[in-house]
Amino acid sequence: MLSQAVVKRLKEIVGERNVVTDKVGLLTYGYDGTLLSGEALGVVSPQTTEQVVEIVKLMNEHDIKLVPRGAGTNESGGTIPSEKSVVISFTKMTKIHEIDTENFVAVVEPGVINFDLQVELAKKNFYFPPDPSSFKASTIGGNLGECSGGPKCFKYGVTRDYMLGLEVVLPNGKVIQTGGRNFQSEPGYDLTRIIVGSEGILGLVTKVFVRILPIPRAKKTMLALYDKVEDASQTVADIVAAGIIPTTLELMDNLLINTTEDFTHAGLPRDAGAVLIIEVDGYPEDMDGQVKTIGEIASKIAKEFKVAQTAVEVDQIWTSRRSAFGSVARVRPSYGVNDITVPRSNFPKAIEGVLKVAKDFGVTIGVVAHAGDGNLHPLILFDQRNKEETETVHAAEQALCMMALDLDGTISGEHGIGLVKKKYLDKEFTPAAMEAFRKIKRSFDPSNRFNPGKIIDL
């Protein structure tokens, strides 16, 4: 427990309503999107950079660790309280300070929800391309902490590609700014890119300069239906090989088609082995040509190819895709999600690998993927109350990671490492690279005060 003196000082810094110490309240901050859990000593919710600085200094005085947290939607255990820590929640730092359409920049606080930013940008005919499926709940701070992707990342890139600069509170309580408004690399070390994706182990971000883009003038959404998921994966490879870059290229297998259809009633055919959601954007005069080319490629294998005709139809399609994770609860009470990523040319082999793991371990796996950039989300369905079944799932997850590495891929495309994949990191990186990671951590945080135990052990 926190001492009364520490609790009193925290309340002086942020106000009594922004400090949580009761057991029930702490319980709600002990989980994320994984099966892991922990218990914090307390939770504090600052509203300004100055308050964050004071919190960091207070925790240093009392040798207490800090675990940063956004909405807690992450799938890696990155926000699980560990090592007698206080959770610092950024959900009350929600100001959008500026939207500068002339320079394609927005300045926001880390607690701004991705969807809320999109709504405000749309009023000015702009948008922020990274939009993970959790975008209606996840925060910009969480997105940059994990370097989230999303459906549009095939064409537009991931979160790191839209981070122009950061205001960061370091573990010693000092404040630095990396980058800024310009589009060029910052002089010297690119500290912005070092911090993006570092899961809060190097510093606490309190302000974000994000790159924004004008909303494309036109877009077309297409569906391609297949008898087998392997056929859909081949179309992905064929589209990429043809040099075409759709905005999105998303895949769902038969299991996910049916679980999402139970929820959304979007009209997806339940007998389809897989579906590809393909979207292109750009100038109106380019749309028909792109659709025609993609249709010709897809129709070589697909049993049906169609173009959405109304905004309502497009919305239904995307509601299905974005509800994929939650919908599997209709089948089993628990799921383990992976985010292995392979080179696009190896995507068909990765699909084959997922099917083999399901067979070898006797588990049910639903496949949803940002197929355009080779990022797969195999969902292993099970009941976590069954210990034997849970152990089998963990073994299957390890097999998926090793399969991705065998295909020149990575163990994590966007969910991060956190606690869940920390044990696999040295399988992807050499001992020298792992030591470089540790040296970077020590240079920022020699006392291991920020999010201890995540990504790497010191």
Side-chain angles (χ1 to χ4, degrees):
M1 294 178 61
L2 292 176
S3 69
Q4 291 184 354
V6 170
V7 174
K8 180 175 181 292
R9 179 64 185 129
L10 285 174
K11 290 179 178 179
E12 291 173 351
I13 294 171
V14 300
E16 187 169 350
R17 296 183 62 183
N18 295 316
V19 178
V20 177
T21 56
D22 66 285
K23 191 172 183 64
V24 173
L26 294 178
L27 187 65
T28 62
Y29 289 88
Y31 296 86
D32 60 4
T34 68
L35 301 179
L36 302 175
S37 64
E39 185 173 336
L41 298 174
V43 179
V44 58
S45 300
Q47 294 173 283
T48 67
T49 300
E50 292 73 23
Q51 290 177 351
V52 174
V53 169
E54 290 302 309
I55 292 166
V56 170
K57 290 179 178 179
L58 178 65
M59 296 299 102
N60 286 347
E61 290 173 12
H62 293 272
D63 195 25
I64 298 171
K65 316 287 188 179
L66 277 171
V67 175
R69 181 183 178 94
T73 59
N74 78 92
E75 301 281 358
S76 63
T79 57
I80 297 296
S82 57
E83 299 189 25
K84 295 184 177 180
S85 55
V86 164
V87 168
I88 180 166
S89 170
F90 287 92
T91 54
K92 294 191 177 181
M93 293 187 69
T94 58
K95 292 178 181 176
I96 299 176
H97 289 287
E98 184 181 0
I99 296 175
D100 179 357
T101 57
E102 183 177 359
N103 292 301
F104 290 16
V105 177
V107 184
V108 305
E109 292 182 342
V112 173
I113 293 173
N114 187 304
F115 178 76
D116 292 343
L117 176 60
Q118 305 287 7
V119 169
E120 292 305 311
L121 291 173
K123 295 175 182 177
K124 300 177 182 291
N125 206 35
F126 272 71
Y127 77 119
F128 178 61
D131 60 342
S133 294
S134 60
F135 81 129
K136 288 192 174 181
S138 62
T139 63
I140 297 298
N143 294 167
L144 76 87
E146 303 289 2
C147 193
S148 302
K152 297 185 181 72
C153 58
F154 179 33
K155 180 176 181 178
Y156 288 105
V158 295
T159 299
R160 74 164 67 88
D161 301 307
Y162 294 86
M163 297 291 111
L164 299 176
L166 306 170
E167 179 182 81
V168 185
V169 179
L170 299 176
N172 60 12
K174 294 182 179 180
V175 181
I176 64 170
Q177 180 172 313
T178 72
R181 295 174 175 275
N182 64 73
F183 285 73
Q184 306 302 318
S185 296
E186 55 191 280
Y189 295 118
D190 192 344
L191 294 180
T192 301
R193 286 205 167 210
I194 289 177
I195 292 169
V196 172
S198 67
E199 303 182 33
I201 73 171
L202 304 180
L204 305 178
V205 175
T206 53
K207 188 181 293 183
V208 191
F209 297 82
V210 303
R211 180 187 177 199
I212 58 177
L213 297 178
I215 293 174
R217 296 184 183 181
K219 70 176 180 180
K220 289 285 187 179
T221 304
M222 296 152 271
L223 277 181
L225 306 172
Y226 299 84
D227 290 321
K228 298 185 298 182
V229 68
E230 298 97 313
D231 293 342
S233 71
Q234 186 58 51
T235 291
V236 172
D238 291 345
I239 289 174
V240 173
I244 300 168
I245 305 178
T247 312
T248 59
L249 190 50
E250 299 285 294
L251 179 147
M252 293 196 300
D253 71 358
N254 177 264
L255 174 62
L256 273 301
I257 289 171
N258 279 277
T259 57
T260 57
E261 191 62 20
D262 287 341
F263 171 62
T264 63
H265 308 291
L268 297 178
R270 291 179 178 272
D271 62 343
V275 60
L276 284 180
I277 303 170
I278 310 166
E279 199 164 80
V280 294
D281 64 17
Y283 292 102
E285 55 268 28
D286 295 335
M287 293 297 99
D288 290 343
Q290 291 190 60
V291 170
K292 181 176 182 293
T293 302
I294 291 172
E296 289 172 350
I297 294 173
S299 296
K300 292 178 182 178
I301 306 176
K303 67 177 185 177
E304 184 179 354
F305 176 83
K306 59 182 181 180
V307 182
Q309 299 300 316
T310 67
V312 172
E313 190 177 355
V314 171
D315 185 62
Q316 286 178 324
I317 291 170
W318 281 110
T319 298
S320 294
R321 169 59 186 89
R322 292 189 184 279
S323 63
F325 282 21
S327 71
V328 297
R330 295 171 177 268
V331 181
R332 299 298 301 278
S334 312
Y335 70 80
V337 61
N338 217 303
D339 70 321
I340 53 175
T341 303
V342 299
R344 299 180 184 102
S345 58
N346 282 339
F347 187 75
K349 292 180 180 178
I351 290 293
E352 291 175 6
V354 172
L355 297 177
K356 184 177 186 300
V357 168
K359 181 179 179 180
D360 290 349
F361 289 87
V363 293
T364 300
I365 302 181
V367 179
V368 60
H370 305 309
D373 65 340
N375 184 214
L376 296 93
H377 295 319
L379 295 164
I380 309 179
L381 310 188
F382 67 108
D383 187 340
Q384 69 187 84
R385 295 167 294 187
N386 185 322
K387 292 184 179 179
E388 183 177 347
E389 189 178 16
T390 301
E391 290 176 1
T392 300
V393 168
H394 290 328
E397 289 175 332
Q398 180 174 348
L400 289 170
C401 288
M402 297 305 105
M403 178 269 290
L405 294 180
D406 288 342
L407 293 175
D408 298 322
T410 177
I411 60 175
S412 178
E414 61 169 330
H415 291 171
I417 300 301
L419 294 171
V420 171
K421 292 192 173 180
K422 183 171 68 171
K423 57 188 174 184
Y424 308 136
L425 197 61
D426 63 357
K427 301 292 190 296
E428 180 168 347
F429 296 98
T430 65
M434 293 295 295
E435 183 56 28
F437 289 156
R438 294 187 185 96
K439 287 181 177 179
I440 291 171
K441 166 65 172 175
R442 291 190 185 104
S443 69
F444 277 83
D445 187 12
S447 299
N448 197 26
R449 296 189 183 280
F450 282 7
N451 218 5
K454 311 301 166 48
I455 305 182
I456 52 174
D457 288 321
L458 297 181

